[in-house]
Amino acid sequence: MTTESNTAPVSNFLRTIIDQDLKAQRHATKRWAGKPGPAAVQKTGSIDTASIRTRFPPEPNGYLHIGHAKSICLNFGLARDYNGACHLRFDDTNPEKEEQEYVDAIIDMVHWLGFDWKYQEEDNLYFASDYFAFMYEFAEALISADLAYVDEQTAEQMRENRGSLTSPGTDSPWRDRPAAESLRLLGEMRDGAHPDGSMALRAKIDMASPNINMRDPVMYRIRHATHHRTGDAWCIYPMYSWAHPVEDALEGITHSICTLEFEDQRPYYNWILEHLRDLGFFSDPLPQQYEFARLYLSYVVTSKRKLRQLVLENHVHGWDDPRLPTLAGLRRRGYTAESIRLFCERIGVSKADSRIDYSILEQALRDDLDPKAARSVAVLDPIKLIITNYPEGQSETCSAPINPHDPDAGRREFPFSRELWIERDDFRETPVKRYFRLFPDNLVRLKYGYVVKCTGFVKDSDGNVVEVHAEYLPDTKSGTPGADSVKVKGNITWISAQHAVAAEIRLYDRLFTDAHPDVGDKDFLTLINPNSLSVVQGWVEPGLVAEAGAHWQFERLGYFVADRIESTPEKPVLNRSTTLRDTWV
């Protein structure tokens, strides 16, 4: 059902819980009818062959980001490692913010990461909206059991009467209304007879509870909004805290794994399931909620609201802008699914929040690409080098390993000629101390080619060097017996000017200058790095086929990828994924 793990599972508190549950056979009698449903449906099924059931439940109101990747790898990875099932469930209970575009994008990203939601013959792709009828039935049962009521207070009045961390709440004047009246009003709410905000269904728990989440939380609110799947069939929509446990129970989830912000909601989660069990809708064992620390990555924002603002206000170029921490953006930048999974394995799972430095993500990409990315050469800031003693119109073939870590990958070939492109930084009219590249009268090796001696240079009318001259030593070609006859301290990369391929090269850096742009009362928009994107017109080695998604390590420069949207073999557009080492200061 999922990609194979390349490493042995690392123990964590969630694995310990699962191990204990399996040893105690906590779920050994749980039945599964092959589809979601209450106890009456599940009792018709056989004993569930999935040892555990987890779920990844995104809301389709935006694109997934790197924080979601941690949850995806955790939930799908646990199911894989324990021969269980992981469901992909869209928590589409907020019609005003959800769109089919986001559903499609989420499915694409989960697949890209190497996971799917199939288990044996099951296709466990679900939507919360499929359960609206069940939720409504359960709500009516809770009203009839005097465990819920329709409240006519305004949202502001509810907030005022909720109390504080140090003072209890105040009962709603509608709290003791007869069940029959609440049932009638709930039906009218469902049928669209009342305006938005005029009524809400609340659980009847304890307005004096020390846990504010237990002070009669709202279960349904009125929303006259068209749903992307159910259209206008409903005028009331369930709150997440009400829908979440119901969805888990309907799907037979054993381990409901959430981030730490839901820890205070766990008593309400249990309250709902226990009462619905007592009313005959669910059976033991009930799902159990567990919480882990969410991912906080430096130099990014992962708030969907802030990401949406960056996109809609054109601070970036869409949800897949390579500077964003969205999975679509990371993929376009050149991050591989393997590197994302490796990153998630390295940061581990705990119950303590911590900030992860962006450099750890970058290093995961380097470690993934280094043994498999083809090597090539690019020149980003070109200046022409003329080999004055090399015959005009002549060229010859040089070669280099495609990947030095993989001899079976073979060698690549490229031409050497009289006129070459080199990096401007590889020449100095007046060298600084310990500068070993080109300067007058100095010898350097053109990597994979000849040793050359700088004999001069040409300046334009503004005093800028526009051309460097050198002579080559004919018996010093790399791979020949004379290659080591002349010792040099410097090597530089080069491309034959006659054969070079022009390319647009986009140099991406971190989007924010502040390591924690979303902490405190900072205005994150003022912290955008003005140099997060530089576009240069450079040259790449001939023979490089810039098919969308192809990766290279450009020697001395870093890892690059052909842009998956705009690059073509005829007009390469290349994105820098990361440098060869962490250069952020």
Side-chain angles (χ1 to χ4, degrees):
M1 83 168 221
T2 64
T3 185
E4 293 295 324
S5 176
N6 294 325
T7 60
V10 177
S11 181
N12 57 56
F13 77 97
L14 290 172
R15 289 184 179 275
T16 299
I17 290 170
I18 293 172
D19 289 338
Q20 292 171 345
D21 286 347
L22 293 178
K23 183 177 180 180
Q25 297 188 310
R26 183 172 182 274
H27 306 287
T29 61
K30 185 173 76 69
R31 292 183 174 272
W32 174 244
K35 63 180 181 180
V41 172
Q42 299 309 332
K43 70 179 182 181
T44 66
S46 303
I47 298 298
D48 195 352
T49 58
S51 62
I52 64 170
R53 285 187 184 266
T54 60
R55 83 289 176 272
F56 174 61
E59 182 182 357
N61 64 348
Y63 280 62
L64 298 182
H65 55 65
I66 187 64
H68 294 112
K70 179 179 179 181
S71 182
I72 292 170
C73 291
L74 176 60
N75 281 286
F76 283 95
L78 288 172
R80 172 198 63 207
D81 294 344
Y82 285 95
N83 190 32
C86 183
H87 300 183
L88 175 60
R89 178 209 305 150
F90 286 96
D91 193 10
D92 54 344
T93 58
N94 189 355
E96 295 165 310
K97 295 184 178 180
E98 297 160 358
E99 300 177 17
Q100 186 63 38
E101 173 192 353
Y102 301 136
V103 172
D104 297 338
I106 290 169
I107 288 175
D108 182 32
M109 286 298 99
V110 175
H111 271 147
W112 174 67
L113 281 177
F115 300 104
D116 66 54
W117 36 92
K118 291 180 172 57
Y119 172 75
Q120 297 180 357
E121 301 302 316
E122 301 172 12
D123 186 354
N124 292 303
L125 174 63
Y126 302 116
F127 292 82
S129 53
D130 292 336
Y131 312 142
F132 283 173
F134 283 131
M135 293 178 195
Y136 187 83
E137 178 186 359
F138 300 162
E140 287 188 314
L142 291 174
I143 292 174
S144 297
D146 197 31
L147 294 169
Y149 62 97
V150 171
D151 193 352
E152 295 184 50
Q153 293 182 104
T154 65
E156 183 178 351
Q157 289 171 328
M158 288 187 194
R159 282 193 296 270
E160 290 176 352
N161 292 333
R162 195 182 187 195
S164 67
L165 294 175
T166 57
S167 60
T170 302
D171 285 355
S172 165
W174 311 103
R175 196 171 194 268
D176 294 323
R177 73 188 327 158
E181 186 177 335
S182 283
L183 286 171
R184 176 180 59 79
L185 291 173
L186 180 64
E188 293 175 0
M189 290 165 57
R190 176 199 59 196
D191 296 337
H194 302 283
D196 289 2
S198 61
M199 294 180 184
L201 180 69
R202 300 178 69 179
K204 186 185 291 189
I205 307 179
D206 181 6
M207 290 300 293
S209 172
N211 183 342
I212 289 183
N213 296 291
M214 299 294 281
R215 296 180 186 175
D216 292 11
V218 172
M219 299 167 62
Y220 275 106
R221 76 281 203 205
I222 301 174
R223 286 289 183 275
H224 289 80
T226 301
H227 190 277
H228 71 103
R229 294 187 76 243
T230 62
D232 297 321
W234 294 87
C235 296
I236 57 172
Y237 291 94
M239 302 297 291
Y240 178 81
S241 56
W242 156 240
H244 170 214
V246 170
E247 294 159 15
D248 284 348
L250 288 169
E251 293 180 20
I253 300 303
T254 59
H255 299 80
S256 179
I257 302 170
C258 308
T259 46
L260 278 177
E261 64 263 35
F262 294 102
E263 186 173 29
D264 290 342
Q265 292 280 359
R266 194 190 328 148
Y268 182 42
Y269 180 100
N270 293 337
W271 184 93
I272 291 170
L273 293 186
E274 289 165 3
H275 282 293
L276 291 177
R277 176 201 59 199
D278 295 344
L279 291 170
F281 292 110
F282 298 125
S283 301
D284 287 323
L286 297 171
Q288 294 293 307
Q289 177 179 303
Y290 303 97
E291 305 86 18
F292 70 100
R294 66 183 301 174
L295 171 61
Y296 292 97
L297 189 65
S298 65
Y299 295 103
V300 303
V301 296
T302 53
S303 158
K304 283 186 180 178
R305 178 183 63 80
K306 292 178 180 179
L307 290 173
R308 187 177 291 108
Q309 186 176 355
L310 287 170
V311 172
L312 296 181
E313 295 181 1
N314 297 316
H315 300 288
V316 294
H317 305 139
W319 285 99
D320 64 348
D321 188 297
R323 292 167 292 180
L324 289 180
T326 58
L327 295 181
L330 289 169
R331 179 174 65 173
R332 191 171 179 185
R333 184 160 175 164
Y335 277 82
T336 61
E338 294 86 350
S339 68
I340 299 295
R341 296 199 302 267
L342 177 60
F343 169 72
C344 291
E345 288 175 3
R346 286 179 172 175
I347 62 175
V349 179
S350 73
K351 288 187 72 73
D353 284 332
S354 63
R355 288 274 174 178
I356 305 297
D357 193 81
Y358 198 91
S359 63
I360 297 176
L361 176 61
E362 293 174 320
Q363 190 57 47
L365 179 62
R366 296 186 191 106
D367 290 344
D368 177 56
L369 289 180
D370 182 50
K372 62 187 184 185
R375 270 40 173 187
S376 191
V377 170
V379 176
L380 307 187
D381 186 11
I383 187 172
K384 188 162 285 187
L385 172 65
I386 298 180
I387 312 300
T388 56
N389 63 335
Y390 195 87
E392 292 190 31
Q394 179 175 313
S395 65
E396 60 186 281
T397 299
C398 296
S399 72
I402 291 176
N403 187 306
H405 302 298
D406 183 9
D408 293 338
R411 299 181 68 82
R412 68 188 200 271
E413 294 184 342
F414 42 89
F416 178 87
S417 62
R418 176 183 172 89
E419 296 188 4
L420 311 174
W421 292 117
I422 64 171
E423 289 287 351
R424 187 173 300 275
D425 193 48
D426 284 341
F427 172 76
R428 288 283 189 276
E429 181 180 354
T430 305
V432 297
K433 187 176 180 180
R434 300 189 63 77
Y435 184 85
F436 299 124
R437 285 166 276 171
L438 274 175
F439 57 86
D441 296 324
N442 190 44
L443 293 167
V444 301
R445 175 170 293 282
L446 300 177
K447 196 171 185 182
Y448 310 121
Y450 292 95
V451 172
V452 299
K453 180 180 180 180
C454 181
T455 58
F457 53 90
V458 176
K459 291 184 175 182
D460 63 15
S461 57
D462 295 325
N464 301 310
V465 176
V466 294
E467 197 172 275
V468 180
H469 293 173
E471 295 181 350
Y472 83 114
L473 281 59
D475 297 327
T476 61
K477 187 177 181 181
S478 294
T480 68
D484 296 328
S485 61
V486 178
K487 302 297 182 183
V488 297
K489 293 184 177 180
N491 282 271
I492 65 172
T493 52
W494 54 275
I495 302 174
S496 169
Q498 177 186 348
H499 304 90
V501 176
E504 178 179 308
I505 301 175
R506 298 170 179 175
L507 305 176
Y508 289 101
D509 210 330
R510 299 179 186 179
L511 184 57
F512 295 98
T513 57
D514 190 299
H516 310 303
D518 56 350
V519 172
D521 58 356
K522 299 174 184 176
D523 181 354
F524 74 106
L525 294 179
T526 66
L527 302 173
I528 292 177
N529 177 11
N531 301 312
S532 63
L533 170 60
S534 299
V535 180
V536 301
Q537 302 301 315
W539 300 97
V540 296
E541 186 178 297
L544 180 147
V545 180
E547 296 179 348
H551 295 83
W552 304 272
Q553 184 199 101
F554 288 147
E555 298 190 25
R556 298 172 54 201
L557 298 176
Y559 293 96
F560 290 73
V561 67
D563 187 87
R564 60 183 292 107
I565 306 297
E566 300 180 40
S567 185
T568 66
E570 298 74 25
K571 294 183 178 180
V573 177
L574 309 179
N575 300 332
R576 182 172 66 187
S577 307
T578 187
T579 54
L580 290 177
R581 60 185 61 85
D582 184 13
T583 57
W584 186 263
V585 178

Short mmCIF file of all heavy atoms in Angstrom, two decimals, residues 59-89:
data_model
loop_
_atom_site.label_atom_id
_atom_site.label_comp_id
_atom_site.label_asym_id
_atom_site.label_seq_id
_atom_site.Cartn_x
_atom_site.Cartn_y
_atom_site.Cartn_z
N GLU A 59 -7.93 19.03 5.50
CA GLU A 59 -9.05 19.84 5.03
C GLU A 59 -8.67 20.38 3.66
O GLU A 59 -7.59 20.96 3.50
CB GLU A 59 -9.35 21.00 5.98
CG GLU A 59 -10.54 21.83 5.53
CD GLU A 59 -10.83 23.02 6.43
OE1 GLU A 59 -10.14 23.19 7.45
OE2 GLU A 59 -11.75 23.79 6.10
N PRO A 60 -9.52 20.23 2.64
CA PRO A 60 -9.16 20.68 1.29
C PRO A 60 -9.37 22.19 1.10
O PRO A 60 -10.18 22.63 0.27
CB PRO A 60 -10.10 19.87 0.40
CG PRO A 60 -11.30 19.63 1.25
CD PRO A 60 -10.79 19.48 2.66
N ASN A 61 -8.65 22.97 1.89
CA ASN A 61 -8.75 24.43 1.81
C ASN A 61 -7.42 25.07 1.47
O ASN A 61 -7.22 26.26 1.69
CB ASN A 61 -9.30 25.00 3.13
CG ASN A 61 -8.36 24.76 4.30
OD1 ASN A 61 -7.41 23.99 4.20
ND2 ASN A 61 -8.63 25.42 5.41
N GLY A 62 -6.49 24.30 0.95
CA GLY A 62 -5.18 24.82 0.57
C GLY A 62 -4.29 23.67 0.14
O GLY A 62 -4.71 22.51 0.09
N TYR A 63 -3.06 24.03 -0.18
CA TYR A 63 -2.10 23.02 -0.63
C TYR A 63 -1.32 22.48 0.57
O TYR A 63 -1.06 23.20 1.54
CB TYR A 63 -1.13 23.64 -1.64
CG TYR A 63 -1.70 23.75 -3.04
CD1 TYR A 63 -2.82 24.54 -3.30
CD2 TYR A 63 -1.12 23.05 -4.09
CE1 TYR A 63 -3.35 24.63 -4.58
CE2 TYR A 63 -1.65 23.14 -5.38
CZ TYR A 63 -2.76 23.93 -5.61
OH TYR A 63 -3.29 24.03 -6.88
N LEU A 64 -0.96 21.22 0.50
CA LEU A 64 -0.18 20.60 1.58
C LEU A 64 1.20 21.22 1.66
O LEU A 64 1.80 21.59 0.64
CB LEU A 64 -0.05 19.10 1.35
CG LEU A 64 -1.34 18.28 1.32
CD1 LEU A 64 -1.00 16.80 1.15
CD2 LEU A 64 -2.15 18.48 2.59
N HIS A 65 1.74 21.29 2.90
CA HIS A 65 3.09 21.83 3.09
C HIS A 65 3.95 20.81 3.81
O HIS A 65 3.52 19.69 4.10
CB HIS A 65 3.04 23.17 3.82
CG HIS A 65 2.31 23.15 5.13
ND1 HIS A 65 2.74 22.43 6.23
CD2 HIS A 65 1.15 23.76 5.53
CE1 HIS A 65 1.92 22.61 7.24
NE2 HIS A 65 0.93 23.40 6.84
N ILE A 66 5.17 21.19 4.11
CA ILE A 66 6.15 20.26 4.68
C ILE A 66 5.67 19.70 6.03
O ILE A 66 5.98 18.56 6.37
CB ILE A 66 7.53 20.95 4.82
CG1 ILE A 66 8.61 19.96 5.26
CG2 ILE A 66 7.45 22.14 5.76
CD1 ILE A 66 8.89 18.87 4.26
N GLY A 67 4.89 20.47 6.78
CA GLY A 67 4.36 19.96 8.03
C GLY A 67 3.40 18.80 7.81
O GLY A 67 3.38 17.83 8.58
N HIS A 68 2.61 18.88 6.73
CA HIS A 68 1.72 17.77 6.40
C HIS A 68 2.51 16.53 6.02
O HIS A 68 2.07 15.41 6.25
CB HIS A 68 0.78 18.16 5.24
CG HIS A 68 -0.19 19.24 5.59
ND1 HIS A 68 -0.13 20.50 5.04
CD2 HIS A 68 -1.25 19.25 6.44
CE1 HIS A 68 -1.13 21.23 5.53
NE2 HIS A 68 -1.82 20.50 6.37
N ALA A 69 3.68 16.75 5.41
CA ALA A 69 4.50 15.59 5.01
C ALA A 69 4.87 14.76 6.23
O ALA A 69 4.92 13.52 6.15
CB ALA A 69 5.76 16.07 4.29
N LYS A 70 5.13 15.41 7.34
CA LYS A 70 5.46 14.66 8.56
C LYS A 70 4.29 13.78 8.98
O LYS A 70 4.47 12.60 9.32
CB LYS A 70 5.83 15.63 9.69
CG LYS A 70 6.16 14.94 11.00
CD LYS A 70 6.55 15.95 12.08
CE LYS A 70 6.86 15.26 13.41
NZ LYS A 70 7.22 16.22 14.47
N SER A 71 3.07 14.32 8.94
CA SER A 71 1.89 13.55 9.30
C SER A 71 1.62 12.43 8.29
O SER A 71 1.25 11.32 8.66
CB SER A 71 0.67 14.47 9.40
OG SER A 71 -0.47 13.75 9.79
N ILE A 72 1.82 12.72 7.01
CA ILE A 72 1.63 11.70 5.98
C ILE A 72 2.59 10.53 6.19
O ILE A 72 2.19 9.36 6.22
CB ILE A 72 1.82 12.31 4.58
CG1 ILE A 72 0.70 13.30 4.27
CG2 ILE A 72 1.88 11.22 3.51
CD1 ILE A 72 0.94 14.13 3.02
N CYS A 73 3.87 10.86 6.34
CA CYS A 73 4.87 9.81 6.52
C CYS A 73 4.63 9.03 7.81
O CYS A 73 4.83 7.81 7.84
CB CYS A 73 6.27 10.42 6.53
SG CYS A 73 6.80 11.09 4.94
N LEU A 74 4.16 9.72 8.83
CA LEU A 74 3.91 9.04 10.10
C LEU A 74 2.72 8.09 9.99
O LEU A 74 2.82 6.89 10.31
CB LEU A 74 3.66 10.08 11.20
CG LEU A 74 3.28 9.54 12.58
CD1 LEU A 74 4.39 8.64 13.12
CD2 LEU A 74 3.00 10.69 13.54
N ASN A 75 1.59 8.58 9.54
CA ASN A 75 0.38 7.76 9.50
C ASN A 75 0.47 6.63 8.47
O ASN A 75 0.15 5.48 8.78
CB ASN A 75 -0.84 8.64 9.22
CG ASN A 75 -1.32 9.39 10.45
OD1 ASN A 75 -1.90 8.81 11.35
ND2 ASN A 75 -1.04 10.68 10.51
N PHE A 76 0.90 6.94 7.27
CA PHE A 76 1.02 5.90 6.27
C PHE A 76 2.18 4.96 6.60
O PHE A 76 2.10 3.75 6.33
CB PHE A 76 1.21 6.51 4.88
CG PHE A 76 -0.05 7.05 4.27
CD1 PHE A 76 -0.38 8.39 4.39
CD2 PHE A 76 -0.92 6.21 3.58
CE1 PHE A 76 -1.54 8.90 3.83
CE2 PHE A 76 -2.09 6.70 3.02
CZ PHE A 76 -2.41 8.05 3.15
N GLY A 77 3.25 5.51 7.19
CA GLY A 77 4.38 4.68 7.55
C GLY A 77 4.06 3.69 8.65
O GLY A 77 4.47 2.52 8.60
N LEU A 78 3.31 4.12 9.66
CA LEU A 78 2.91 3.19 10.73
C LEU A 78 2.02 2.08 10.18
O LEU A 78 2.19 0.90 10.53
CB LEU A 78 2.18 3.95 11.84
CG LEU A 78 3.04 4.85 12.72
CD1 LEU A 78 2.16 5.69 13.64
CD2 LEU A 78 4.03 4.04 13.55
N ALA A 79 1.08 2.45 9.32
CA ALA A 79 0.21 1.43 8.74
C ALA A 79 1.03 0.43 7.92
O ALA A 79 0.79 -0.79 7.99
CB ALA A 79 -0.86 2.09 7.87
N ARG A 80 1.99 0.92 7.17
CA ARG A 80 2.85 0.03 6.38
C ARG A 80 3.64 -0.91 7.29
O ARG A 80 3.68 -2.13 7.06
CB ARG A 80 3.81 0.88 5.55
CG ARG A 80 4.91 0.10 4.81
CD ARG A 80 6.03 1.04 4.41
NE ARG A 80 6.66 1.62 5.58
CZ ARG A 80 7.27 2.81 5.58
NH1 ARG A 80 7.29 3.55 4.49
NH2 ARG A 80 7.83 3.27 6.68
N ASP A 81 4.24 -0.36 8.31
CA ASP A 81 5.14 -1.15 9.15
C ASP A 81 4.40 -2.17 10.01
O ASP A 81 4.99 -3.18 10.42
CB ASP A 81 5.97 -0.23 10.04
CG ASP A 81 6.93 0.64 9.24
OD1 ASP A 81 7.15 0.32 8.05
OD2 ASP A 81 7.44 1.63 9.79
N TYR A 82 3.12 -1.92 10.29
CA TYR A 82 2.36 -2.83 11.14
C TYR A 82 1.32 -3.64 10.36
O TYR A 82 0.40 -4.19 10.95
CB TYR A 82 1.68 -2.05 12.27
CG TYR A 82 2.64 -1.62 13.36
CD1 TYR A 82 3.22 -0.36 13.35
CD2 TYR A 82 2.98 -2.49 14.39
CE1 TYR A 82 4.10 0.04 14.34
CE2 TYR A 82 3.87 -2.10 15.40
CZ TYR A 82 4.42 -0.83 15.36
OH TYR A 82 5.30 -0.44 16.35
N ASN A 83 1.48 -3.68 9.04
CA ASN A 83 0.53 -4.41 8.20
C ASN A 83 -0.90 -3.94 8.46
O ASN A 83 -1.82 -4.73 8.65
CB ASN A 83 0.64 -5.92 8.45
CG ASN A 83 -0.15 -6.74 7.44
OD1 ASN A 83 -0.29 -6.33 6.29
ND2 ASN A 83 -0.70 -7.87 7.86
N GLY A 84 -1.05 -2.64 8.46
CA GLY A 84 -2.36 -2.05 8.70
C GLY A 84 -2.83 -1.26 7.51
O GLY A 84 -2.29 -1.37 6.40
N ALA A 85 -3.85 -0.45 7.71
CA ALA A 85 -4.44 0.38 6.66
C ALA A 85 -4.39 1.84 7.10
O ALA A 85 -4.61 2.15 8.27
CB ALA A 85 -5.88 -0.04 6.40
N CYS A 86 -4.10 2.70 6.15
CA CYS A 86 -4.18 4.14 6.41
C CYS A 86 -5.19 4.74 5.44
O CYS A 86 -5.08 4.52 4.22
CB CYS A 86 -2.82 4.81 6.25
SG CYS A 86 -2.87 6.58 6.66
N HIS A 87 -6.15 5.46 5.96
CA HIS A 87 -7.19 6.08 5.15
C HIS A 87 -6.79 7.51 4.79
O HIS A 87 -6.21 8.23 5.62
CB HIS A 87 -8.52 6.14 5.90
CG HIS A 87 -9.04 4.79 6.31
ND1 HIS A 87 -10.26 4.63 6.94
CD2 HIS A 87 -8.53 3.54 6.17
CE1 HIS A 87 -10.47 3.35 7.18
NE2 HIS A 87 -9.43 2.67 6.73
N LEU A 88 -7.10 7.91 3.57
CA LEU A 88 -7.04 9.32 3.20
C LEU A 88 -8.46 9.85 3.28
O LEU A 88 -9.34 9.42 2.53
CB LEU A 88 -6.48 9.51 1.79
CG LEU A 88 -6.50 10.95 1.27
CD1 LEU A 88 -5.67 11.88 2.16
CD2 LEU A 88 -6.00 11.02 -0.17
N ARG A 89 -8.69 10.75 4.23
CA ARG A 89 -10.04 11.29 4.46
C ARG A 89 -10.00 12.81 4.33
O ARG A 89 -9.24 13.48 5.03
CB ARG A 89 -10.53 10.92 5.84
CG ARG A 89 -11.92 11.50 6.15
CD ARG A 89 -12.11 11.77 7.62
NE ARG A 89 -11.86 10.56 8.37
CZ ARG A 89 -11.37 10.54 9.60
NH1 ARG A 89 -11.08 11.66 10.23
NH2 ARG A 89 -11.17 9.41 10.24
#
